[in-house]
Amino acid sequence: MKIAYFDCFSGISGDMCLGAVVDAGVPLEDIRKELAKLPLGGYDLSKKRVKRSGLSATKIDVVLSPVSRPSRASEARKWADIEGIIGDSLLPKDLKRKGRQIMKSLFQTEAKVHGTSLGKVHLHELGAVDCLVDVFGTLIALRLLGVEAIYSSPVNLGGGTVQTNHGVLPVPAPATAELLRRIPVYSSGIPFELTTPTGAALLKSLSTAFGDMPAFVPELIGTGAGNRNIEGTPNILRIWIGEKSDEEHAGRETITLIETNIDDMSPQVYEYVMARLFQKGALDVYTTQILMKKSRPAIKLSILCRRSERDELIRTVLQETTSIGVRYCEMSRAVLGRRYMQVVTKYGKVRIKVSGEGKDKKFMPEYEDCKKIAREKVVPLLRVIEEAINSAMRRAEEKRAL
């Protein structure tokens, strides 16, 4: 698995993210080409090498074209405008979904801290073009790099105050603070805003877990520069990209558990609900029979997911079930590394999930493959599964013998 580790020792912002992924090796022209699928216009991207406290880094700036003002994007400040731009884009569906989620989280947070609604809030500090380009440019670059999971360090917030359209505000700004709830943060005492709302939104939506750097083999390192050159502290975001071993034994990660108790929904609906939750990115979905108050029989619906998919899965539960509320918490889990292989049995080809390492390897045939073969060959399903496991074990023994 290819992973990225965001080292936020000097905070994080949208332009720092974009600079870091370009510095890691993604050609700026490739990002431009994909960004052209967003109906924005009226801007260009500039790239330059800068030094921050003696260290070299890449600085990416979004430069507006004066002749193009006002444009659809530069005038856009409300959620309906941004949603329309994303909806009209020609980007891949999964990338549009992720970008929409990040942008909506910014609007929802701004609405909350200013005591207004999603439809009324305006983004003053976040220009539409800058924000959209930083968010989608980062997503595009991570996709081009083949990154499958993102981990992050605790986030340095900075300190002091920041000048905004609403006056002088404490650092972190209210929107940044709200976005970073339940995420490990700290301040090194530097009297500047190091983490912006856009950077916080990207980190919260993309990161699988926060903490020390996981064990992996780094291949690329990118450094993106912030606006300030702070004496004695390099104002950069560093991104490490590399391969996390499939053979990692009992790897530890942080996941989210979402639960709700339901006592008034037809059992027929659960199959559909579970399928929808898996489509939305759930790692696992399961039900448990329980007794509620007054001995009412009920079903506890449980969902395991990454932090980045939590909000969307909660919305799905509330939309697709009779539940009027859910509970959730973060928890750690230890998992064996896993990979897939394909074996050829006397009945046909079967994919095998391999977990563990050495003599402790476990082999689990892909159920759908086995079911398809059993139907086509008219043989018992259990016999197909047994044959697939035996073929995988023989292949493992032959490999060890070599």
Side-chain angles (χ1 to χ4, degrees):
M1 175 188 288
K2 181 170 283 190
I3 70 167
Y5 182 74
F6 282 48
D7 189 1
C8 308
F9 67 91
S10 189
I12 182 171
S13 63
D15 60 328
M16 291 169 78
C17 284
L18 198 50
V21 289
V22 170
D23 194 66
V26 180
L28 187 58
E29 192 54 43
D30 289 354
I31 297 176
R32 281 197 184 101
K33 181 179 178 181
E34 290 301 304
L35 283 173
K37 296 177 182 179
L38 279 168
L40 287 177
Y43 77 94
D44 193 13
L45 292 174
S46 73
K47 171 187 173 182
K48 59 185 176 182
R49 297 296 296 178
V50 299
K51 285 192 175 181
R52 295 291 183 256
S53 193
L55 296 183
S56 179
T58 295
K59 184 73 173 74
I60 301 293
D61 289 305
V62 180
V63 182
L64 298 183
S65 306
V67 295
S68 300
R69 294 192 182 98
S71 69
R72 175 183 178 183
S74 63
E75 290 297 309
R77 290 294 183 272
K78 292 187 177 182
W79 170 239
D81 303 322
I82 302 299
E83 189 174 36
I85 290 171
I86 298 172
D88 292 343
S89 76
L90 300 178
L91 291 166
K93 287 184 178 180
D94 63 324
L95 203 150
K96 288 168 66 172
R97 178 183 61 82
K98 179 60 69 176
R100 180 182 182 277
Q101 175 188 330
I102 294 170
M103 293 299 299
K104 190 173 183 180
S105 72
L106 282 165
F107 274 85
Q108 288 174 327
T109 302
E110 289 286 345
K112 180 176 181 180
V113 299
H114 293 300
T116 185
S117 66
L118 178 65
K120 293 181 180 179
V121 70
H122 291 68
L123 296 187
H124 297 294
E125 268 64 60
L126 302 169
V129 174
D130 293 45
C131 193
L132 282 164
V133 170
D134 287 343
V135 168
F136 279 93
T138 298
L139 293 176
I140 288 165
L142 290 170
R143 184 188 184 96
L144 292 173
L145 286 166
V147 172
E148 300 170 75
I150 292 173
Y151 299 82
S152 300
S153 70
V155 186
N156 190 354
L157 302 176
T161 59
V162 60
Q163 181 68 47
T164 74
N165 281 57
H166 299 283
V168 177
L169 297 177
V171 171
T176 302
E178 186 66 31
L179 284 162
L180 293 177
R181 283 178 181 267
R182 295 177 294 275
I183 289 175
V185 299
Y186 68 99
S187 174
S188 61
I190 295 173
F192 300 112
E193 180 185 39
L194 298 182
T195 297
T196 67
T198 303
L202 279 164
L203 206 61
K204 183 172 184 176
S205 296
L206 298 179
S207 291
T208 297
F210 294 83
D212 294 335
M213 184 181 292
F216 75 112
V217 181
E219 299 171 355
L220 302 169
I221 301 175
T223 54
N227 288 323
R228 292 179 179 271
N229 186 15
I230 304 170
E231 185 177 354
T233 299
N235 185 22
I236 60 174
L237 170 71
R238 188 165 57 174
I239 296 180
W240 302 63
I241 298 166
E243 292 289 337
K244 189 176 182 182
S245 173
D246 288 327
E247 300 295 333
E248 183 181 358
H249 187 73
R252 285 165 174 77
E253 59 184 2
T254 301
I255 59 172
T256 300
L257 170 65
I258 304 169
E259 290 186 332
T260 185
N261 299 342
I262 303 174
D263 65 354
D264 58 352
M265 190 171 79
S266 169
Q268 294 174 311
V269 179
Y270 284 99
E271 179 188 16
Y272 176 80
V273 171
M274 294 174 76
R276 288 282 290 159
L277 292 169
F278 279 119
Q279 290 171 2
K280 296 290 185 177
L283 298 173
D284 198 7
V285 183
Y286 54 96
T287 60
T288 308
Q289 290 184 330
I290 60 172
L291 284 177
M292 295 175 60
K293 61 183 179 182
K294 299 182 180 179
S295 298
R296 293 199 313 272
I299 295 292
K300 179 170 69 175
L301 177 65
S302 302
I303 304 113
L304 295 178
C305 67
R306 308 289 186 197
R307 183 198 297 267
S308 58
E309 314 300 335
R310 182 194 65 201
D311 292 345
E312 183 64 27
L313 288 167
I314 289 175
R315 279 193 291 271
T316 302
V317 170
L318 296 178
Q319 289 171 356
E320 299 288 357
T321 74
T322 57
S323 173
I324 59 174
V326 304
R327 56 191 177 273
Y328 61 87
C329 64
E330 303 294 321
M331 56 176 55
S332 299
R333 71 170 182 173
V335 294
L336 292 173
R338 76 265 327 252
R339 63 184 178 85
Y340 282 89
M341 61 183 284
Q342 188 177 71
V343 297
V344 179
T345 73
K346 62 182 179 182
Y347 301 116
K349 295 180 180 179
V350 178
R351 287 172 297 166
I352 304 286
K353 181 167 68 176
V354 185
S355 57
E357 57 183 83
K359 294 182 179 180
D360 296 326
K361 280 184 179 177
K362 300 177 182 180
F363 304 95
M364 181 57 64
E366 192 68 24
Y367 173 71
E368 293 297 330
D369 290 359
C370 295
K371 183 173 72 172
K372 181 180 178 182
I373 290 174
R375 286 175 173 172
E376 291 176 352
K377 303 293 184 180
V378 195
V379 294
L381 175 61
L382 289 176
R383 188 179 300 170
V384 177
I385 293 174
E386 182 181 8
E387 176 64 22
I389 292 175
N390 289 337
S391 296
M393 293 178 68
R394 285 196 298 270
R395 181 168 165 180
E397 287 293 336
E398 291 170 358
K399 187 176 179 179
R400 277 200 294 269
L402 294 175

